[in-house]
Amino acid sequence: MDVISENRCFGGVQGVYSHASDVTGCKMTFGAFLPAEAADGPVPVIWYLSGLTCTHANAMEKAGAQGWAAEQGVALIFPDTSPRGPGVADDEAYDLGQGAGFYVNATEAPWASHFRMWDYVADELPALVGRELAIDLERQAITGHSMGGHGALTLAMAHPGRFASVSAFAPIANPVASDWGRKQLGAYLGADEAAWGRHDASVQMLERGFDGPVLIDQGGSDQFLDLLRPEALSQAMAARRQEGVFRMQKGYDHSYFFVSSFMEDHVNFHAEALWA
Amino acid sequence: MDVISENRCFGGVQGVYSHASDVTGCKMTFGAFLPAEAADGPVPVIWYLSGLTCTHANAMEKAGAQGWAAEQGVALIFPDTSPRGPGVADDEAYDLGQGAGFYVNATEAPWASHFRMWDYVADELPALVGRELAIDLERQAITGHSMGGHGALTLAMAHPGRFASVSAFAPIANPVASDWGRKQLGAYLGADEAAWGRHDASVQMLERGFDGPVLIDQGGSDQFLDLLRPEALSQAMAARRQEGVFRMQKGYDHSYFFVSSFMEDHVNFHAEALWA
């Protein structure tokens, strides 16, 4: 693991690291915030998965999470959103290929050789940060924004017992029924829609739910409401009798000004579950 | 005044606006955060002046000030750092020309026709926001980072009675004795150093001081310590018996991870003076 940068931040350290990934077959970069308490031993962690077009840097610089994480004594990990590099397949569209991994393991050409973000975020990166940083893998929580909210919810439900809590900011909530989903799941997983359901938060919520509390924030003036389909997730949460809260936030859009406005609530929500 | 964007943020609105500037002779862009209270009438304002290479956007996106401003019911204004555009003089160096206005009125060619950031920030922009936004010009405070800390301190001391308080993050504290200053003041104001002193915070602190409280934060591991010369300002503050606090923050560097770590303190410091 190579150190790209380390900056003191709210009494802790905001680092950026890179490593050769066996899973994605390329060099991967991620951000990690460790609070001051990490100097004395492993601390709980909140994963933050980012949205379309983002790298590890967007949330690290704009979401305003470090101050709240420092107050709670928890770490933050900011993975990238896809494999990258000249040898990695890409597409001209902003919503497919590099920057748009959708947190799946691609099975179709030309994506299958590198686009394995599900395994990367679920297995390889946790093992790495558990080994290299003062992170306690027995206490994990997960959140994300937009495509990253989709990733957080689907990963959390697929790994019962791993995450104490899950939250999302304006998640892509029902990709099997949205142009933010059908295009990408078709490209990465193929035309057989039977393989798509495990990557749809609303489908998974109905089928199995999450074994802990859930917090969803959605901007009421989000310019992508038709693509996000929050109503599918809200309906599924209620139908499942899922422990959790779904909040429609009047006037907020899809930007980091929305995310940062509610970051305190999300970090505190996860900290309560992590320290329980 | 044209609206570039408006995003709901911490219960208020983060806007970006542009306008034709008579002072700089070009179109200028700035950011303005208005808290929810602004819907009911004018609110106090904190000016945030940015550093070299920055636009209005950097602090607006990375400094994490809006949440604290919302809590205190104060507005934030984020001006640009220079005139810009194809008809505006520039230099290949990052620290001269566009993005590096240094908050002076240039008198020398080729800069004099557009580079009048002193008058722009001191006069034209306050008049505009006082007219167009719910901002109470009777209650102003000012802060800034690096070159913007230099601007905040020199503007505050030159306008007694205008600002209730002034603060700075890692200001360029003594430009007449630094390569961050001698080059720019020479280019913009000419070789006669007699014209430079009013644009040096340490000189001004010794000569006249500030008629209110001062708060300075400086990272102890700032990579630019030799250029910033905080010791000159610290010495001047003590020699002047200036009301204020100078804090050397161990381990912090020059980045926005430093600025955001102490933003709560700065906003609360100004709010106390503004609401007094």
Side-chain angles (χ1 to χ4, degrees), chain B residues 72-213:
Chain B
Q72 296 287 356
V74 302
L76 302 165
I77 306 284
F78 304 98
D80 203 347
T81 58
S82 79
R84 294 182 191 273
V88 175
D90 201 5
D91 189 275
E92 288 183 4
Y94 76 96
D95 60 357
L96 190 68
Q98 297 187 32
F102 253 78
Y103 306 101
V104 302
N105 292 331
T107 55
E108 305 301 298
W111 312 108
S113 48
H114 296 284
F115 282 74
R116 301 181 60 79
M117 289 301 290
W118 180 273
D119 282 355
Y120 176 70
V121 173
D123 300 327
E124 190 182 38
L125 189 55
L128 179 75
V129 300
R131 210 162 53 231
E132 300 274 350
L133 302 173
I135 297 227
D136 178 3
L137 295 179
E138 296 299 309
R139 289 183 290 175
Q140 299 185 61
I142 190 164
T143 186
H145 174 226
S146 196
M147 178 182 75
H150 145 77
L153 289 163
T154 53
L155 280 157
M157 287 186 274
H159 294 88
R162 180 182 297 193
F163 299 102
S165 45
V166 62
S167 76
F169 301 86
I172 296 178
N174 191 202
V176 304
S178 166
D179 286 343
W180 271 358
R182 296 189 62 80
K183 170 184 177 178
Q184 295 84 357
L185 297 176
Y188 296 142
L189 305 179
D192 180 1
E193 298 190 21
W196 298 6
R198 66 185 288 242
H199 294 292
D200 184 294
S202 298
V203 170
Q204 290 303 304
M205 180 57 70
L206 276 175
E207 281 187 11
R208 56 163 108 196
F210 177 69
D211 56 335

Side-chain angles (χ1 to χ4, degrees), chain B residues 23-82:
Chain B
V23 168
T24 65
C26 65
K27 193 168 84 168
M28 297 294 291
T29 302
F30 68 96
F33 171 75
L34 291 179
E37 290 82 351
D40 301 323
V43 298
V45 60
I46 301 172
W47 294 83
Y48 182 104
L49 305 185
S50 286
L52 290 166
T53 77
C54 288
T55 70
H56 68 282
N58 301 62
M60 183 181 94
E61 296 176 347
K62 297 184 181 184
Q66 291 94 344
W68 308 118
E71 206 164 272
Q72 296 287 356
V74 302
L76 302 165
I77 306 284
F78 304 98
D80 203 347
T81 58
S82 79

Side-chain angles (χ1 to χ4, degrees), chain A residues 5-276:
Chain A
S5 62
E6 289 186 328
N7 300 81
R8 186 151 295 276
C9 182
F10 287 97
V13 176
Q14 177 61 59
V16 176
Y17 308 97
S18 72
H19 66 105
S21 165
D22 292 335
V23 168
T24 65
C26 65
K27 192 169 84 168
M28 296 294 291
T29 302
F30 67 96
F33 171 74
L34 291 180
E37 290 82 351
D40 301 322
V43 297
V45 61
I46 302 173
W47 295 83
Y48 182 104
L49 305 186
S50 286
L52 289 166
T53 76
C54 290
T55 70
H56 68 283
N58 300 63
M60 182 181 93
E61 296 176 349
K62 298 185 180 183
Q66 292 94 343
W68 307 118
E71 205 164 272
Q72 296 287 356
V74 302
L76 302 164
I77 306 284
F78 303 99
D80 202 348
T81 58
S82 78
R84 294 183 191 273
V88 175
D90 202 4
D91 188 276
E92 288 184 5
Y94 76 96
D95 60 357
L96 190 67
Q98 296 186 33
F102 252 78
Y103 306 100
V104 301
N105 292 331
T107 55
E108 304 302 298
W111 312 108
S113 48
H114 295 285
F115 282 74
R116 302 181 59 79
M117 289 301 291
W118 180 273
D119 282 353
Y120 176 71
V121 173
D123 299 327
E124 189 183 39
L125 189 54
L128 179 75
V129 300
R131 209 162 53 229
E132 301 274 349
L133 302 173
I135 298 233
D136 178 3
L137 295 180
E138 296 299 309
R139 288 183 291 175
Q140 299 185 62
I142 190 164
T143 186
H145 173 226
S146 196
M147 177 182 75
H150 144 78
L153 289 162
T154 52
L155 281 157
M157 288 186 273
H159 295 88
R162 178 182 298 193
F163 299 102
S165 47
V166 61
S167 76
F169 301 86
I172 298 178
N174 190 202
V176 305
S178 166
D179 286 343
W180 271 356
R182 296 190 62 80
K183 171 185 176 177
Q184 295 84 356
L185 297 176
Y188 295 143
L189 304 179
D192 180 3
E193 297 189 22
W196 298 6
R198 67 184 290 241
H199 294 292
D200 185 293
S202 297
V203 170
Q204 289 303 304
M205 180 58 69
L206 276 175
E207 281 188 10
R208 57 163 107 194
F210 177 68
D211 56 336
V214 176
L215 172 62
I216 309 291
D217 270 318
Q218 171 62 56
S221 296
D222 192 312
Q223 58 270 48
F224 302 115
L225 274 170
D226 291 347
L227 292 163
L228 299 169
R229 296 184 46 78
E231 62 279 11
L233 179 60
S234 176
Q235 192 274 334
M237 286 171 67
R240 182 75 198 180
R241 317 299 191 237
Q242 172 66 49
E243 174 190 0
V245 178
F246 181 101
R247 309 194 300 191
M248 186 62 68
Q249 302 285 6
K250 184 177 178 183
Y252 286 87
D253 60 27
H254 201 65
S255 70
Y256 269 99
F257 296 117
F258 157 66
V259 173
S260 60
S261 293
F262 299 102
M263 185 54 74
E264 179 181 12
D265 292 352
H266 284 247
V267 171
N268 292 352
F269 162 77
H270 290 299
E272 189 172 341
L274 288 165
W275 290 114

